[in-house]
Amino acid sequence: MKKVLIIDDNRDLRELLRAQISLKGFSAVGAKCAKEGIETAIAEKPDLILMDIMMPEMDGREATRILRQITETKEIPIVAVTAMFRPSDLKSCIEAGCNDYISKPFTMEQL
């Protein structure tokens, strides 16, 4: 079963995504902050990471940069999940190492 790691400081969104992803037939795990997300990615080795960008302490871009430097996580696809929508903001997610992005709000079909 493919595994998705959801890194988001918004508990409600994280749990909603976990439930919806599970209904689609994937295993889903969550992390409440970037540091926990990095640790979970190393331990769980997910097939995909959904990375919130705006989080306290460490944002998703910095977490992505760190994950790209770790042997166990450097090849895992990362999708930035963000409320940002300006082209320059989205470009910064790609430059940090995200493979793609989706802007909030979004539907499960879009995801």
Side-chain angles (χ1 to χ4, degrees), residues 3-42:
K3 186 182 299 181
V4 179
L5 170 58
I6 304 148
I7 304 172
D8 199 305
D9 63 320
N10 182 312
R11 182 177 160 264
D12 292 337
L13 179 58
R14 189 174 63 245
E15 292 305 315
L16 176 65
L17 285 173
R18 280 180 55 171
Q20 291 295 315
I21 288 168
S22 294
L23 286 174
K24 298 287 185 184
F26 300 96
S27 172
V29 293
K32 63 184 176 196
C33 66
K35 182 176 185 253
E36 181 180 303
I38 293 166
E39 293 167 358
T40 303
I42 293 167

Side-chain angles (χ1 to χ4, degrees), residues 51-84:
M51 177 74 73
D52 183 23
I53 297 301
M54 294 186 289
M55 293 184 283
E57 296 178 33
M58 180 190 309
D59 72 15
R61 288 179 292 245
E62 182 60 26
T64 297
R65 286 185 200 95
I66 291 169
L67 288 167
R68 292 297 180 227
Q69 296 174 8
I70 299 170
T71 303
E72 296 88 352
T73 60
K74 68 180 178 181
E75 299 296 326
I76 299 171
I78 300 173
V79 175
V81 180
T82 180
M84 301 182 308

